[in-house]
Amino acid sequence: MTLFIAIYAQTIPNRDTPPAKHGVQDLSNWDFNRQGLVVLDGEWEFYEGQMLEPADFKQGLGAVVPYISVPGTWKGDQTVGGVSKTGYGTYRLKVIVPVTDEVLGLKVRSIRMSHRLYINGKVEGSSGQPAADSLLHKPGNTPYTAFFLPKESEVEIVIQVANYVYVNGGIVNSIQLGLHQDITKMNSIQIGTDIAAVFILGMFGVYHLSFYFLGRREKTYLFSGLYLVTLLFNQMLFGEKLLQRLLPELPFAISYKLLDLSEFLSAAVIILFFCSIDMRLLTSRKMNLMLAPIVLYMAATLTLPYQVHSQIKPVFLFYIGIAAMYLLGRMIYLYSLNERDSSNRKELMLFIFGIVSLTAFLIDGILYTVNIVPTDLAGKVSILCFIAFINMLLAIRFANAYEKTEKLTQQLMVSNQRKDEFLTHTSHEIKTPLHGIMNMTSHLLVDEERNLTLKQKQNLWLIKDTSVKLSMLIHDLIDVTRLKHGELRLHLTVVDVRVVVQIVFDVLEFELLGKEVRLDNQVGSDVWVRADENRLRQIMYNLVHNAIKHTVKGTITVMSSVLDDTVSIFVEDTGTGISKAKQAAIFGYFEQFNQPIPQDGYTGMGVGLYISRKLVEQMEGDIRVDWSEVGQGTRMMFTLPSVAPIPFYRETAYTTSEPQRVTRDHLPLDILDQQGHTIMIVDDEASNIHILLNILKRHKYNVLTALSAKEAMVKIKQHPQVDLVVLDVMMPETSGIELCRILRGGYSILDLPILFTTVKDTSQDIAIGFRAGANDYVTKPFDAETLIARIQTLIAMKTAIQEAIRNEQAFHQAQIKPHFLYNALSSVISFCYTDGEKAAYLLTMLSQYLRYILDMDRSTLIVPLSRELELIHAYVEIERARFGERFEFVCDVDKSVRYYHIPSLCIQPFVENAIRHGLFEKEGYGKVTLKIDEGEGYIKVIIEDDGIGIPNDLLYQMSKGESPNVGIGIPNIRKRLDTIPGATLTFSSEMGTGTRVTMYLPASLNGLIP
């Protein structure tokens, strides 16, 4: 910092320079080599409103010569002797210098807002284009240096100046004169310090922003980085104006708008920065109010011309100064409140120093701009101090955060250790009653008095196998903790591999219920290894159980191979397989939790294969995926040291084997001989299915079982009368959530209630289930009474809704029949007086119709199509007998569809409507056509007439199902069809042309109408 100040001090001109008087500055006694630079301050000649060149002065301009103080801005006409703030004029100064053969130079910093420099009659520099006409004027105000060789002792300097865009014009800063080398050195230092400032601001700005984007995402670092970056742009546009030097073609308006935007944007960002460091500094409302004027001026800068918004810029700069003072006062106040908290006081002290440095930077910039101070050295030092204080502040906050993180880490480690201890102790506590259950079950299975039935023994074996499964899981949990702390101890002995495999097969046999999977033990009879027998069982259990979990059909085979002193054991299945990308990772600790867990996917605990790998490695073996193909199967392999067969151990192993198991035939688990409702159970755990079966049997339900979503879809198509689905959420391949969505594509929540069973009971998991279309859920392990109560409630709800629909439809159907009978009887009565033979014929048709009506069960909502056609025939004959040959009825029906079932009275009302309203309300002859065709899985019915047609407003109401003026028939038919999946009804009509009704019905309605 000291070196920087010393170097920069060399750019300060000597203020002992003799001032200019009456347009002449006498420097004849000035030693440029010893005394350095001079400033051309004092009284200059100034010719307002005249754009003069050096030649004009040689001709003479009159006796009265006006003078103006330089440096200085044009104050305006209101001041005595003042100059208009905008306009143009010419400056002139004669400088008397010692006679020398050295090159001299001038440093021009700021002349608003355009000028042209003449030295001894020659143009030596310019910025912008001054002109008497504002349309020809081009603003520009970029610093530069000009060099010349004085041939005489008198140097004439003429400067043409014009300003039409800024609040005031004039020579703002001192013009410096000196030797070539001094001017060059000064210029280099000033440009170099500006470049250094830009580099420092950019470096720290990127540093702070990287902390935000790559680190902790704290807004403090974001705002500090943005502030330093905006200062960087401000520095490039201010002082030596590096950006304008690099891009001389950059338009004046853009560069100066960027300057204003960077100034005010930096002010807004620094306010946000200060408020992010200490939230007590300003409330959100006060902060927004403080930022509002700054944002307003920025908006004006973007939208208004430069000459407009620059007029009000000083007011907003003054406002920023007031805001800075207010923030400083708030910081001092907060500092006084934190007398005891040393860390907060330290931060606030650095905070105060930072804003003081920032305020000094802003004040120095203003003073330098108006030439009150000769250099902007103080501002540059202030901004360096600001950066230093802010970095120290953030470093302290970072150190405090790191210290808190270390404390939290230590607390987390302690909590984790306590959790492991709790898990271990809890697991040991669970093992005691669990082993009691296993021992009591084994005792009952002995059945010395032969009191148990075959079914009871099967249930006891299920209890024992489930208990063993739970015991193995508890062992896994305990071993995870022991492995983490290096406390796992093995008891190596000689173990018969075949016996171990058979015991594991017996334990896991209950998992095969309902699956077409066979366990095949192909391990040789004399394969012995040196291992911990309990741990080897644990390894085999995990591998075989994993194979069962992912195998729906086929074989799970355990084989062995002996080579030298190593035994290789293979577990091969015909399941889903493992992709090559995941084969190396499945033995990792909680592998699936390293990936995002799908909300509806199947996830296990993730410790079984990890523990198996650790156990195999501790027994001097190796484990890996030997082969796997997606969709084909997997072969896992692990190795153990082999030993010679020992008969004593073999005999012991066989004598300690479990009691003889009851043989369980793999029969279908479905129950379809009950009179009650039908429930489908979908669960990949055979034990869960067995438990649910036992519960539902007691309540006389028919039960369908499925171990996968694919099997469930097959069975629900085979048995469409399913009343309820009990669905497990977590299943491999297709999850319960996905299966629920598939079912909802064909069944509504009223047609097929779905009850979720899940171990996940968080609100998020429950919400996912309901969004998928579930009606209810029950958490595992569930209470039998609770489960039955929920099942009964859902079935009762479905039954009640179906009954309500049936009653309503039967009511509407009952309304249709009297309507038809009234019309038919009216026709018969009219013929009794005119034509007895026709009346007799019509009575015959009517009696046939009544026979069908009276034979029809009102609760039966579907009838054969042939019966509906006979009703239509009877009606048409009645109308034809009554009205003679006024209309023609054409019936074109495929023979193949005559015995299909359709909703009762869904076609006849449309035929009646076409004859009575479509034809008889028009004059002349008419025609009605009924056409019924068979499609692929559907029946297409078309009723068409060439009658008067239907008005558009009524047709629109009928299309929406709102038909208040067409009686009860058509709305009733639409309402009934709306309850049939796949049924549609559409109308098309033109006035005076006719009407067409198109109806699509499923080819098979059995089970579709509730």
Side-chain angles (χ1 to χ4, degrees), residues 780-791:
K780 296 180 181 178
F782 43 74
D783 178 69
E785 293 183 1
T786 301
L787 178 68
I788 290 297
R790 291 179 183 268
I791 289 175

Side-chain angles (χ1 to χ4, degrees), residues 252-428:
F252 170 85
I254 293 178
S255 62
Y256 273 76
K257 280 179 177 289
L258 287 175
L259 175 62
D260 286 359
L261 285 173
S262 63
E263 287 177 350
F264 284 85
L265 179 60
S266 64
V269 173
I270 199 62
I271 293 173
L272 293 172
F273 170 70
F274 287 147
C275 293
S276 68
I277 290 182
D278 196 328
M279 303 298 291
R280 301 172 300 169
L281 192 63
L282 291 175
T283 63
S284 297
R285 183 173 178 274
K286 288 183 178 180
M287 182 182 69
N288 293 333
L289 289 175
M290 182 175 286
L291 291 174
I294 299 175
V295 174
L296 177 63
Y297 183 78
M298 291 172 62
T301 302
L302 291 171
T303 56
L304 299 178
Y306 179 77
Q307 55 265 39
V308 176
H309 68 77
S310 62
Q311 300 289 328
I312 57 174
K313 180 180 177 181
V315 176
F316 286 89
L317 287 175
F318 179 75
Y319 170 77
I320 291 176
I322 297 298
M325 291 294 98
Y326 175 78
L327 292 176
L328 180 60
R330 283 287 299 168
M331 291 177 193
I332 296 173
Y333 171 73
L334 293 174
Y335 178 80
S336 64
L337 295 179
N338 290 273
E339 297 180 356
R340 297 182 180 179
D341 193 341
S342 59
S343 62
N344 283 345
R345 285 176 65 85
K346 188 184 299 184
E347 289 185 8
L348 280 171
M349 180 59 70
L350 292 171
F351 209 176
I352 293 172
F353 288 157
I355 197 170
V356 168
S357 302
L358 186 61
T359 304
F361 164 72
L362 296 175
I363 293 174
D364 181 74
I366 296 172
L367 296 178
Y368 177 69
T369 301
V370 297
N371 204 49
I372 295 178
V373 295
T375 69
D376 60 348
L377 172 62
K380 288 184 169 63
V381 172
S382 298
I383 200 61
L384 292 177
C385 291
F386 170 77
I387 294 173
F389 288 135
I390 293 304
N391 277 291
M392 284 190 287
L393 172 62
L394 296 178
I396 290 174
R397 292 171 67 89
F398 188 82
N400 292 337
Y402 183 77
E403 184 179 350
K404 291 179 181 178
T405 303
E406 284 189 327
K407 290 180 179 178
L408 291 174
T409 302
Q410 186 64 28
Q411 293 174 5
L412 183 61
M413 292 175 64
V414 172
S415 299
N416 191 42
Q417 184 176 358
R418 290 177 179 174
K419 181 264 296 178
D420 291 339
E421 293 174 357
F422 172 78
L423 182 62
T424 303
H425 294 159
T426 304
S427 299
H428 282 296

Side-chain angles (χ1 to χ4, degrees), residues 914 918-919 922 925-929 944-949 992-995:
L919 301 182
K922 80 166 189 175
Y925 177 82
K927 182 178 180 180
V928 175
T929 303
E944 190 171 10
D945 67 68
D946 58 357
I948 62 172
T993 302
T995 302

Side-chain angles (χ1 to χ4, degrees), residues 100-119:
T100 178
D101 57 355
E102 294 188 74
V103 175
L104 299 180
L106 286 179
K107 171 68 174 182
V108 178
R109 282 166 46 195
S110 177
I111 300 177
R112 296 174 185 160
M113 284 307 280
S114 63
H115 74 279
R116 185 178 294 110
L117 171 66
Y118 294 89
I119 301 177

Side-chain angles (χ1 to χ4, degrees), residues 7-20:
I7 293 174
Y8 203 86
Q10 300 179 36
T11 66
I12 302 175
N14 194 327
R15 286 293 175 174
D16 295 331
T17 306

Side-chain angles (χ1 to χ4, degrees), residues 479-586:
D479 288 345
V480 168
T481 304
R482 288 176 176 174
L483 285 169
K484 288 175 63 178
H485 297 285
E487 298 174 355
L488 185 63
R489 298 291 180 266
L490 300 178
H491 302 285
L492 299 179
T493 182
V494 180
V495 183
D496 188 334
V497 178
R498 182 176 178 82
V499 173
V500 170
V501 172
Q502 192 58 49
I503 292 173
V504 171
F505 276 7
D506 291 342
V507 169
L508 290 174
E509 186 181 355
F510 79 99
E511 294 279 358
L512 302 179
L513 290 175
K515 285 188 175 184
E516 298 180 14
V517 178
R518 183 173 60 88
L519 301 177
D520 187 8
N521 186 357
Q522 295 185 9
V523 178
S525 58
D526 289 317
V527 178
W528 299 77
V529 294
R530 186 175 72 252
D532 185 320
E533 183 173 359
N534 291 328
R535 301 305 184 188
L536 182 56
R537 287 191 188 185
Q538 191 174 353
I539 295 168
M540 290 303 308
Y541 176 87
N542 286 329
L543 294 178
V544 176
H545 184 265
N546 192 65
I548 293 174
K549 199 74 174 176
H550 297 89
T551 303
V552 178
K553 185 178 182 180
T555 306
I556 297 173
T557 306
V558 179
M559 303 169 289
S560 65
S561 173
V562 181
L563 181 63
D564 297 331
D565 57 350
T566 301
V567 175
S568 298
I569 303 170
F570 302 89
V571 179
E572 185 172 347
D573 63 64
T574 56
T576 57
I578 307 169
S579 64
K580 292 183 179 180
K582 296 182 179 179
Q583 290 180 13
I586 61 173

Side-chain angles (χ1 to χ4, degrees), residues 163-176:
N163 170 51
Y164 297 99
V165 296
Y166 197 65
V167 63
N168 51 34
I171 300 176
V172 181
N173 296 116
S174 299
I175 298 175
Q176 294 169 291

Side-chain angles (χ1 to χ4, degrees), residues 434-711:
L434 182 60
H435 287 170
I437 294 172
M438 295 168 62
N439 292 332
M440 286 185 286
T441 306
S442 298
H443 175 71
L444 290 172
L445 284 170
V446 173
D447 193 22
E448 295 178 351
E449 298 180 359
R450 300 182 181 276
N451 293 327
L452 297 176
T453 64
L454 179 62
K455 187 63 177 178
Q456 289 171 336
K457 286 188 176 182
Q458 287 180 344
N459 289 333
L460 285 173
W461 277 113
L462 179 62
I463 293 171
K464 184 171 183 180
D465 291 343
T466 306
S467 301
V468 171
K469 180 180 178 180
L470 180 57
S471 178
M472 298 297 261
L473 178 59
I474 292 172
H475 275 296
D476 285 347
L477 294 176
I478 295 173
D479 288 345
V480 168
T481 304
R482 288 176 176 174
L483 285 169
K484 288 175 63 178
H485 297 285
E487 298 174 355
L488 185 63
R489 298 291 180 266
L490 300 178
H491 302 285
L492 299 179
T493 182
V494 180
V495 183
D496 188 334
V497 178
R498 182 176 178 82
V499 173
V500 170
V501 172
Q502 192 58 49
I503 292 173
V504 171
F505 276 7
D506 291 342
V507 169
L508 290 174
E509 186 181 355
F510 79 99
E511 294 279 358
L512 302 179
L513 290 175
K515 285 188 175 184
E516 298 180 14
V517 178
R518 183 173 60 88
L519 301 177
D520 187 8
N521 186 357
Q522 295 185 9
V523 178
S525 58
D526 289 317
V527 178
W528 299 77
V529 294
R530 186 175 72 252
D532 185 320
E533 183 173 359
N534 291 328
R535 301 305 184 188
L536 182 56
R537 287 191 188 185
Q538 191 174 353
I539 295 168
M540 290 303 308
Y541 176 87
N542 286 329
L543 294 178
V544 176
H545 184 265
N546 192 65
I548 293 174
K549 199 74 174 176
H550 297 89
T551 303
V552 178
K553 185 178 182 180
T555 306
I556 297 173
T557 306
V558 179
M559 303 169 289
S560 65
S561 173
V562 181
L563 181 63
D564 297 331
D565 57 350
T566 301
V567 175
S568 298
I569 303 170
F570 302 89
V571 179
E572 185 172 347
D573 63 64
T574 56
T576 57
I578 307 169
S579 64
K580 292 183 179 180
K582 296 182 179 179
Q583 290 180 13
I586 61 173
F587 295 101
Y589 180 57
F590 282 81
E591 159 58 23
Q592 58 266 45
F593 292 105
N594 294 330
Q595 305 294 331
I597 301 177
Q599 294 180 335
D600 56 357
Y602 169 77
T603 55
M605 283 203 56
V607 297
L609 293 178
Y610 167 76
I611 292 172
S612 299
R613 177 174 68 85
K614 288 293 186 181
L615 291 176
V616 170
E617 290 173 353
Q618 290 206 8
M619 290 188 289
E620 301 178 4
D622 181 47
I623 187 171
R624 67 176 186 272
V625 178
D626 188 52
W627 165 85
S628 185
E629 188 99 11
V630 176
Q632 300 295 321
T634 303
R635 182 169 62 242
M636 311 288 286
M637 185 199 80
F638 68 95
T639 60
L640 290 173
S642 66
V643 295
I646 302 177
F648 171 75
Y649 281 111
R650 183 174 182 179
E651 293 174 6
T652 304
Y654 280 111
T655 55
T656 56
S657 61
E658 298 181 352
Q660 184 65 35
R661 284 179 175 264
V662 178
T663 302
R664 281 174 281 187
D665 297 329
H666 295 289
L667 298 176
L669 299 176
D670 300 343
I671 303 172
L672 297 173
D673 57 352
Q674 302 296 324
Q675 298 300 318
H677 296 277
T678 302
I679 297 174
M680 173 177 281
I681 303 171
V682 186
D683 200 312
D684 63 316
E685 290 280 353
S687 57
N688 291 338
I689 288 182
H690 197 86
I691 292 169
L692 287 170
L693 275 173
N694 289 334
I695 294 173
L696 295 175
K697 279 180 183 177
R698 297 197 297 267
H699 294 270
K700 307 301 181 183
Y701 288 116
N702 292 305
V703 181
L704 296 170
T705 61
L707 291 162
S708 65
K710 184 177 180 181
E711 184 181 358

